[in-house]
């Protein structure tokens, strides 16, 4: 938490990677100095969460069928396609918090070649505090007592950490490219935290200024359920899009930075949800998708750059063990209870967004 | 760091992470920190640790191998991850235990994982365990970590030894090393030298004589090695006729009669024997004996002139400070080889029975080429009691009878790659087949795995030292490296400029 505080002190959109790395190092080095006095409750807008969680389709499937798909061309014009993905994983609990590792990768395709830049892994220690010593201190220290940190969902802190990191990466990329298509993982939603909103807005501005088109790609969409329904784009041999933006409820649309499409990018490919920067004129939004198809596509219709970015970012078991050794060798953090690596990686929070670490760390006295 | 991972079916698994460059054959000890006990284990196989996620990682990489890029890893965590990927599992066999510094076979206890410490055993410590007395050292080489290895001549004394390995791996070289070591310790040796490669052991590679000058006697059957019929004696000749020449019973009986009657008249000579054979009435017997005795005489090995006789007693007497008789069997027809060996072995038995010599170390190269089947049994039993201690050297382990293998005291194994050879050895040895197969398969040239009395049954990998002797007759190649020197072209295979091992003494 203490470090989260420090992190919040940065303008969320501007920390450099060096600063983040420094912060990571510091967060671990200072983990046993429990000095934080303030725990401001993060203003978490539950609306977005709620929105993402709803599995009942907010869109009427019947309606989709009546929408006319837009046929897409494949525009192979050499536009750079740049995908960004980040990953976070709980490495273990300490006496007063949790250690998370984050990693992010940028994969670009330019002149028919793929390149990656990978940042991390960076382990962070986040003080959360739920153990006896902290409770005792809480009893004597009023400032701490005033906030019930123990019951706060660590998911939120994790997500904040990840957002800061991801925003930093996205910003770097947006500044580096002109006339590129930038692929982000997931929907383009408005963040819930004040600073994050500001950061995201400025990030979008930077991208737009350099004529970069932002496309959010969601592997799974909960906008509508396809179960039991026929693929609305069945029968279409060419890649196509359906603009479903108008069918999204007004309250929800308000939270989006993009225009929402259902897309089938290869003839026998899967359906994806694409969010394309709302501020672009429609023709440019469609052109952005066509350039993506033309310059970076796999057979199953999922952008290769983004697939690679996922692969490069995801942690595996060897890396988890390696990071445990790193923490042991450099900070004397011994694992008290051995984690079940499988659970870390494939447990309830699988997909490398585990928020529930199994390892219990202790700093030897 | 080494950590005890698990013990399963007599196999101890140690995790080495980061890997420490430990090699197969090395010894480790698992020290129980709460007692003064430790288990002595030997690494017999090294595998990658089955780290979770490795497969995933490899598959992942294989799908992205064409992607270039860079990692920004400010905390340098990557090296830690690589370490984990490289972690090794050392599969070890328990070889014994130490209780307060004393070597014991009591390995009935199991170390407690949390209280145990796994450490490498320094070669010096191991060698001290193996050969504590160092009374009669024979220097044979160095461990993988280059610590000098001496074997105790006492461990060869009274023993049956086997040196095996595939062609050209250094078997004969080791046999020579041991032979010279035994001579230095005053031992009396006899070599069945099938390739004529022991004949210049008394020369340095430079061509000068060495300290074995007066201790070597090379015998070439038919040339400087002839035996008078009377010296050979009826027994030897009969057994040669019987076993080498397949003489039928009636004929041998007749020969015995002739011999005895000539002996009574003190008239034994080749001519007289022929005359007596000629007088035999029974045509079949006459023919049979004639042909055989003719062959015997044709060998040129037997004579009836006492002055030409080679008396082993006399040679042995000259070698009372140690020495070797080299029986050069090179280029001899198989039958003559067999006759000579048969004679020598029976003579040797007689001499030992009469205490002419205390004991003889016999080195037999590729013995299946000249040793008749029944002798194998004899060598490990009767002759051994008389004091013939054999070292068999062969690249065909299956030619050594199983019971000979089983009764062997010391085994020196060089590299083997042939499955059948490995099986033949594994089946018959005192250490487990897994160890043998795993280690010998990967032994580098001139390295052997030795075990038995010489190592207190702890299998040890040794790199055999060089010898400053003239060698010849070793593995011949069609393509030998040729080197141009000022004098012209020199065939390297006949030129040996090795540093002496034994001279270091
Ligand atoms: N320890 C050693 N150091 C240096 N050279 C060696 C060593 N051992 C053997 N050599 C050399 O290697 C060659 C082969 O050795 P050697 O004749 O002893 O092999 P071998 O196993 O007896 O072969 P074969 O199966 O033909 O009898 C020879 O030239 C020998 O001098
Ligand atoms: Mg040889």
């Amino acid at each position: 938490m203490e470090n989260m505080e420090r992190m919040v002190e940065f303008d969320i959109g501007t920390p450099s990677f060096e600063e983040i790395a420094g912060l990571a190092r510091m967060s671990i080095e200072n983990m046993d100095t429990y000095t934080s006095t303030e725990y401001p409750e993060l203003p978490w807008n539950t609306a977005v969460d709620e929105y993402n969680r709803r599995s009942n389709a907010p869109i009427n499937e019947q309606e989709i069928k009546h929408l006319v798909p837009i046929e897409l061309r494949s525009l192979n014009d050499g536009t750079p396609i740049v995908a960004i993905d980040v990953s976070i994983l709980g490495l273990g609990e300490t006496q007063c918090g949790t250690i998370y590792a984050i990693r992010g990768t940028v994969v670009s395709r330019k002149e028919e070649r793929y390149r990656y830049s990978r940042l991390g892994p960076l382990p962070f220690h986040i003080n959360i505090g739920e153990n006896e010593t902290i409770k005792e201190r809480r009893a004597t220290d009023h400032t701490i007592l005033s906030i019930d940190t123990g019951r706060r969902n660590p998911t939120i802190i994790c997500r904040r950490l990840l957002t800061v990191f991801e925003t930093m990466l996205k910003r770097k990329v947006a500044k580096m490219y002109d006339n590129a298509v930038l692929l982000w993982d997931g929907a383009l939603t408005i963040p819930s935290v004040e600073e994050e909103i500001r950061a995201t807005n400025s990030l979008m501005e930077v991208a737009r200024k350099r004529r970069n088109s932002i496309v959010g790609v969601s592997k799974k969409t909960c906008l509508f359920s396809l179960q039991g329904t026929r693929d609305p784009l069945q029968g279409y041999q060419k890649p196509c899009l359906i603009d479903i933006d108008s069918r999204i409820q007004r309250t929800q649309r308000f939270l989006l930075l993009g225009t929402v499409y259902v897309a089938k990018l290869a003839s026998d490919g899967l359906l994806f949800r694409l969010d394309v920067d709302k501020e672009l004129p429609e023709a440019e939004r469609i052109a952005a998708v066509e350039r993506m198809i033309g310059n970076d596509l796999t057979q199953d219709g999922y952008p290769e750059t983004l697939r690679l970015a996922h692969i490069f970012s995801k942690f595996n078991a060897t890396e988890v063990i390696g990071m445990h050794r790193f923490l042991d060798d450099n900070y004397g953090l011994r694992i008290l209870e051995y984690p079940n690596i499988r659970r870390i990686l494939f447990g309830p929070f699988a997909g490398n967004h585990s928020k529930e670490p199994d390892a219990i760390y202790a700093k030897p006295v | 760091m080494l950590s005890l991972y698990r013990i399963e079916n007599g196999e101890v698994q140690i995790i080495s992470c980061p890997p420490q460059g430990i090699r197969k054959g090395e010894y480790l000890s698992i020290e129980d920190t709460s007692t003064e006990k430790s288990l002595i284990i030997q690494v017999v196989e090294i595998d990658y640790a089955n780290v979770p996620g490795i497969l995933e990682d490899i598959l992942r990489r294989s799908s992205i191998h064409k992607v270039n890029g860079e990692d920004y890893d400010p905390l340098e965590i990557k090296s830690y991850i690589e370490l984990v990927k490289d972690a090794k599992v050392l599969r070890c066999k328990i070889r014994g235990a130490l209780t307060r510094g004393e070597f014991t076979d009591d390995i009935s206890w199991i170390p407690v994982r949390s209280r145990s410490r796994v450490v490498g055993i320094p070669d010096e410590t191991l060698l001290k365990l193996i050969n504590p007395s160092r009374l009669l050292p024979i220097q044979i080489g160095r461990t993988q970590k280059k610590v000098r290895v001496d074997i105790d001549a006492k461990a060869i004394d009274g023993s049956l030894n086997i040196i095996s390995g595939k062609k050209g791996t250094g078997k004969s070289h080791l046999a020579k090393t041991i032979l010279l070591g035994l001579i230095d310790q005053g031992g009396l040796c006899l070599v069945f030298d099938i390739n004529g490669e022991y004949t210049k052991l008394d020369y340095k590679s430079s061509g000068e004589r060495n300290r074995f000058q007066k201790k070597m006697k090379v015998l070439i059957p038919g040339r400087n090695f002839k035996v008078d019929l009377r010296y050979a004696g009826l027994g030897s000749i009969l057994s040669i006729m019987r076993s080498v020449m397949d003489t039928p019973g009636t004929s041998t009986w007749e020969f015995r009669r002739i011999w005895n009657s000539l002996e009574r008249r003190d008239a034994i000579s080749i001519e007289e024997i022929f005359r007596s054979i000629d007088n035999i009435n029974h045509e079949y017997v006459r023919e049979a004996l004639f042909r055989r005795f003719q062959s015997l005489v044709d060998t040129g090995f037997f004579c009836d002139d006492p002055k030409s006789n080679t008396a082993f007693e006399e040679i042995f007497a000259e070698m009372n400070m140690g020495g070797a008789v080299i029986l050069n069997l090179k280029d001899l027809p198989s039958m003559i080889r067999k006759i000579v060996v048969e004679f020598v072995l029976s003579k040797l038995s007689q001499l030992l029975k009469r205490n002419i010599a205390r004991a003889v170390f016999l080195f037999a190269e590729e013995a299946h080429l000249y040793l008749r089947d029944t002798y194998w049994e004899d060598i490990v039993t009767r002759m051994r009691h008389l004091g013939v201690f054999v070292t068999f050297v062969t690249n065909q382990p299956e030619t050594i009878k199983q019971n000979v293998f089983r009764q062997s005291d010391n085994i020196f194994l060089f590299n083997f790659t042939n499955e059948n050879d490995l099986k033949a050895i594994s089946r018959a040895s005192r250490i487990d087949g897994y160890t043998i197969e795993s280690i010998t398969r990967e032994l580098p040239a001139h390295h052997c795995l030795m075990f038995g009395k010489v190592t207190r049954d702890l299998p040890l990998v040794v790199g055999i030292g060089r010898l400053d002797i003239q060698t010849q007759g070793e593995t011949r190649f069609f393509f030998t490296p040729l080197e141009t020197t000022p004098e012209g072209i020199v065939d390297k295979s006949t030129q040996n400029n090795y540093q002496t091992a034994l001279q270091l003494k």
Side-chain angles (χ1 to χ4, degrees):
Chain A
M1 261 319 299
E2 175 196 346
N3 302 302
M4 280 309 300
E5 285 316 300
R6 288 211 192 95
M7 202 180 301
V8 174
E9 283 166 20
F10 292 119
D11 175 352
I12 201 162
T14 55
S16 68
F17 190 64
E18 288 74 14
E19 281 173 301
I20 294 218
L23 190 64
R25 212 177 278 123
M26 197 160 57
S27 76
I28 295 169
E29 278 162 9
N30 297 336
M31 61 169 276
D32 55 352
T33 56
Y34 193 79
T35 53
S36 176
T37 49
E38 241 185 298
Y39 280 84
E41 190 72 66
L42 288 171
W44 182 254
N45 185 342
T46 50
V48 175
D49 252 6
E50 189 57 29
Y51 167 75
N52 284 334
R53 208 176 301 130
R54 279 168 67 162
S55 58
N56 51 340
I59 295 178
N60 184 336
E61 291 158 17
Q62 289 310 111
E63 275 182 56
I64 298 179
K65 285 195 184 160
H66 294 122
L67 295 172
V68 185
I70 309 158
E71 287 206 2
L72 300 171
R73 298 167 300 160
S74 164
L75 251 181
N76 187 347
D77 60 353
T79 302
I81 312 292
V82 190
I84 297 150
D85 194 26
V86 292
S87 180
I88 185 162
L89 187 69
L91 286 182
E93 272 165 26
T94 66
Q95 279 145 314
C96 48
T98 305
I99 294 179
Y100 291 97
I102 58 177
R103 180 158 68 186
T105 312
V106 176
V107 176
S108 63
R109 186 179 149 110
K110 234 166 109 182
E111 288 145 18
E112 316 266 297
R113 282 234 204 99
Y114 290 99
R115 262 200 82 75
Y116 78 90
S117 294
R118 181 159 63 165
L119 312 179
L122 287 179
F124 275 89
H125 182 253
I126 296 176
N127 284 341
I128 297 168
E130 236 311 84
N131 78 1
E132 289 307 307
T133 54
I134 289 166
K135 272 188 189 143
E136 263 170 43
R137 278 172 120 152
R138 228 179 263 157
T140 53
D141 185 340
H142 292 279
T143 48
I144 297 174
L145 241 187
S146 59
I147 298 153
D148 188 5
T149 53
R151 225 167 286 151
R152 187 184 7 242
N153 186 355
T155 311
I156 297 168
I157 294 155
C158 255
R159 197 171 289 195
R160 288 272 285 143
L161 179 62
L162 201 59
T163 306
V164 172
F165 184 61
E166 195 174 9
T167 308
M168 183 270 297
L169 273 184
K170 286 176 176 169
R171 200 180 170 85
K172 276 211 144 87
V173 170
K175 277 182 170 170
M176 242 167 83
Y177 287 87
D178 302 298
N179 288 308
V181 175
L182 310 184
L183 303 183
W184 294 0
D185 185 40
L188 299 185
T189 49
I190 292 178
S192 46
V193 188
E194 190 65 30
E195 304 91 26
E196 288 185 12
I197 298 174
R198 255 190 281 126
T200 307
N201 281 336
S202 106
L203 170 61
M204 302 288 282
E205 278 312 307
V206 171
R208 286 172 194 140
K209 221 180 270 168
R210 309 192 64 127
R211 302 192 50 79
N212 291 317
S213 317
I214 294 164
V215 179
V217 182
S218 315
K219 243 181 292 187
K220 281 183 206 137
T221 169
C222 46
L223 280 173
F224 57 92
S225 129
L226 287 172
Q227 269 168 337
T229 330
R230 285 176 53 222
D231 174 354
L233 290 170
Q234 208 179 33
Y236 281 86
Q237 286 306 308
K238 289 218 171 131
C240 49
L241 285 178
I242 309 179
D243 183 340
I244 57 170
D245 210 55
S246 58
R247 308 298 150 130
I248 292 176
Q249 286 161 28
R250 189 181 290 269
T251 46
Q252 290 179 347
R253 210 181 321 146
F254 173 70
L255 294 167
L256 295 174
L257 290 163
T259 303
V260 182
Y261 297 93
V262 173
K264 186 154 96 172
L265 302 177
S267 64
D268 53 352
L270 303 165
L271 291 186
F272 299 105
R273 167 184 166 170
L274 292 185
D275 295 27
V276 187
D277 186 1
K278 226 188 231 175
E279 302 275 297
L280 297 176
E282 184 178 11
E284 274 185 43
R285 289 200 300 264
I286 292 170
V289 180
E290 289 180 328
R291 283 150 79 202
M292 180 180 91
I293 296 173
N295 296 295
D296 173 41
L297 206 60
T298 56
Q299 300 206 310
D300 61 357
Y302 192 77
E304 177 69 2
T305 46
L306 197 54
R307 187 185 77 91
L308 290 172
H310 285 310
I311 290 174
F312 276 109
S313 301
K314 238 183 114 165
F315 292 107
N316 72 14
T318 324
E319 292 167 334
V320 172
I321 300 169
M323 289 187 281
H324 283 156
R325 286 189 73 100
F326 165 82
L327 293 171
D328 184 354
D329 280 14
N330 291 279
Y331 302 101
L333 291 172
R334 278 278 148 76
I335 294 178
L336 291 187
E337 249 167 63
Y338 278 89
N340 178 344
I341 295 280
R342 287 201 73 76
R343 245 202 84 185
I344 290 192
L345 292 165
F346 308 113
F349 296 92
N352 263 314
H353 291 283
S354 158
K355 313 298 189 303
E356 194 192 45
D358 288 48
I360 310 288
Y361 271 109
K363 207 159 190 173
V365 206
Chain B
M1 197 180 90
L2 299 171
S3 340
L4 177 58
Y5 174 40
R6 61 176 173 195
I7 301 182
E8 201 177 69
N9 302 329
E11 182 188 272
V12 181
Q13 297 185 3
I14 303 291
I15 301 288
S16 169
C17 181
Q20 302 189 326
I22 288 175
R23 278 181 284 186
K24 273 191 195 181
E26 281 186 32
Y27 279 83
L28 308 173
S29 94
I30 307 176
E31 296 172 355
D32 189 326
T33 47
S34 64
T35 62
E36 283 178 71
K37 282 179 169 181
S38 53
L39 267 192
I40 294 181
I41 58 175
Q42 184 179 28
V43 180
V44 293
E45 190 62 83
I46 301 176
D47 290 334
Y48 280 111
N50 185 14
V51 181
I54 287 283
L55 178 65
E56 189 197 352
D57 195 51
I58 290 170
L59 290 176
R60 216 200 258 182
R61 278 169 185 235
S62 67
S63 83
I64 56 179
H65 68 279
K66 275 178 270 156
V67 185
N68 291 322
E70 71 271 350
D71 275 294
Y72 181 39
D73 176 22
L75 305 189
E76 284 161 21
I77 294 181
K78 199 172 180 179
S79 58
Y80 290 86
I81 294 169
E82 294 303 319
L83 276 189
V84 173
K85 280 187 198 160
D86 287 341
K88 300 272 166 46
V89 182
L90 312 177
R91 296 179 192 281
C92 308
K93 294 278 177 191
I94 302 173
R95 299 286 184 223
L98 281 183
T99 310
R100 269 164 253 103
E102 283 295 309
F103 186 68
T104 70
D105 300 338
D106 173 23
I107 50 171
S108 54
W109 53 281
I110 275 188
V112 180
R113 207 185 316 207
S114 59
R115 285 198 315 245
S116 58
R117 212 165 63 100
V118 184
V119 290
I121 302 181
D123 284 348
E124 290 82 355
T125 314
L126 186 73
L127 292 169
K128 231 174 254 167
L129 278 179
I130 284 174
N131 181 8
S133 73
R134 291 165 184 255
L135 279 181
L136 303 172
I138 298 177
Q139 195 198 330
I140 63 158
R142 293 182 183 271
T143 62
Q144 297 184 87
K145 292 197 189 127
K146 306 282 176 263
V147 177
R148 174 179 155 161
V149 179
D150 291 349
I151 57 173
D152 190 351
K154 278 188 123 39
I156 302 288
D157 200 3
S159 300
L160 172 64
N161 313 302
I162 292 173
I163 300 177
S164 198
K166 71 176 182 207
K167 252 191 117 36
T169 43
K171 301 178 295 294
S172 306
H173 181 99
L174 172 62
K176 291 168 198 165
T177 308
I178 296 175
L179 174 89
L180 298 178
L182 288 169
I183 296 173
D184 274 334
Q185 300 295 352
L188 188 55
C189 308
L190 174 64
V191 181
F192 291 159
D193 183 8
I194 194 92
N195 296 316
E197 60 182 305
Y198 291 70
T199 54
K200 293 262 173 78
L201 295 181
D202 46 354
Y203 287 88
K204 289 185 191 174
S205 53
S206 60
E208 293 163 51
R209 303 299 295 241
N210 60 21
R211 68 180 185 284
F212 300 106
Q213 186 181 356
K214 296 245 169 68
K215 304 197 169 195
M216 295 283 167
K217 178 88 185 158
V218 179
L219 297 181
I220 304 171
R223 278 212 252 157
N224 70 346
F225 183 25
K226 290 189 184 191
V227 284
D228 183 89
L229 287 174
R230 279 153 297 200
Y231 177 73
L234 177 64
S236 295
I237 298 203
L238 278 182
S239 77
I240 289 169
M241 292 185 95
R242 228 184 277 122
S243 58
V244 184
M245 310 176 103
D246 284 331
T247 316
T250 40
S251 308
T252 47
W253 187 86
E254 189 57 36
F255 188 82
R256 182 193 297 271
R257 197 192 54 77
I258 292 172
W259 182 286
N260 286 339
S261 93
L262 289 175
E263 192 172 42
R264 251 176 271 127
R265 289 189 281 131
D266 194 18
I268 289 181
S269 72
I270 292 174
E271 210 185 323
E272 284 300 322
I273 292 176
F274 268 128
R275 194 169 298 146
S276 302
I277 291 175
D278 218 22
N279 288 335
I280 297 172
N281 284 331
H282 196 300
E283 191 192 334
Y284 173 74
V285 175
R286 187 175 64 236
E287 267 306 298
L289 275 184
F290 182 81
R291 265 191 292 117
R292 286 179 174 89
F293 192 64
Q294 183 68 59
S295 314
L296 214 57
V297 173
D298 286 349
T299 61
F301 179 56
F302 292 101
C303 65
D304 48 12
D305 170 16
K307 280 199 243 88
S308 307
N309 184 55
T310 312
F312 272 87
E313 298 80 330
E314 288 162 20
I315 301 174
F316 285 173
E318 281 170 25
M319 292 182 174
N320 64 349
M321 300 295 283
V325 176
I326 314 294
L327 201 58
N328 188 351
L329 302 175
K330 193 185 174 192
D331 299 334
L332 288 186
S334 155
M335 171 140 95
I336 301 182
R337 236 190 254 150
K338 285 180 179 161
I339 289 172
V340 174
V341 167
E342 186 82 32
F343 164 76
V344 170
L345 287 179
S346 76
K347 193 81 211 168
L348 202 57
S349 303
Q350 286 173 23
L351 296 183
L352 290 167
K353 262 185 222 158
R354 283 164 40 205
N355 280 325
I356 300 293
R358 265 223 314 257
V360 172
F361 296 98
L362 174 63
F363 289 80
E365 286 249 0
E366 305 301 348
H368 61 283
L369 295 178
Y370 48 78
L371 199 65
R372 72 173 148 98
D373 278 359
T374 46
Y375 251 121
W376 292 91
E377 195 72 30
D378 216 27
I379 275 178
V380 296
T381 53
R382 190 180 62 90
M383 297 199 57
R384 195 167 173 183
H385 286 292
L386 290 174
V388 180
F389 309 135
V390 189
T391 298
F392 288 112
V393 183
T394 182
N395 56 30
Q396 290 170 266
E398 75 277 4
T399 61
I400 294 180
K401 306 281 170 295
Q402 292 276 308
N403 65 325
V404 174
F405 242 119
R406 260 185 236 111
Q407 297 205 40
S408 62
D409 300 284
N410 297 301
I411 295 186
F412 303 83
L413 297 177
F414 287 83
N415 184 291
F416 271 112
T417 38
N418 182 297
E419 289 295 329
N420 288 336
D421 291 347
L422 282 168
K423 288 220 170 64
I425 294 168
S426 305
R427 239 181 291 129
S429 311
R430 284 188 302 192
I431 63 167
D432 60 293
Y434 187 73
T435 301
I436 290 178
E437 291 204 27
S438 163
I439 294 182
T440 56
R441 206 190 284 278
E442 286 167 27
L443 281 173
H446 310 158
H447 281 65
C448 79
L449 174 73
M450 63 177 196
F451 51 92
K453 269 162 66 183
V454 282
T455 63
R456 275 180 113 181
D457 277 331
L458 298 176
L460 186 70
V461 175
V462 184
I464 306 302
R466 294 173 165 194
L467 282 174
D468 182 20
I469 48 160
Q470 280 205 354
T471 57
Q472 59 254 140
E474 71 268 333
T475 318
R476 258 158 76 171
F477 298 101
F478 182 79
F479 298 106
T480 32
L482 294 175
E483 197 176 87
T484 322
T485 65
E487 294 90 58
I489 286 175
V490 176
D491 183 345
K492 262 198 172 166
S493 64
T494 56
Q495 232 211 7
N496 243 326
N497 44 5
Y498 297 133
Q499 285 303 306
T500 173
L502 291 166
Q503 273 180 355
L504 289 175
K505 226 172 108 101

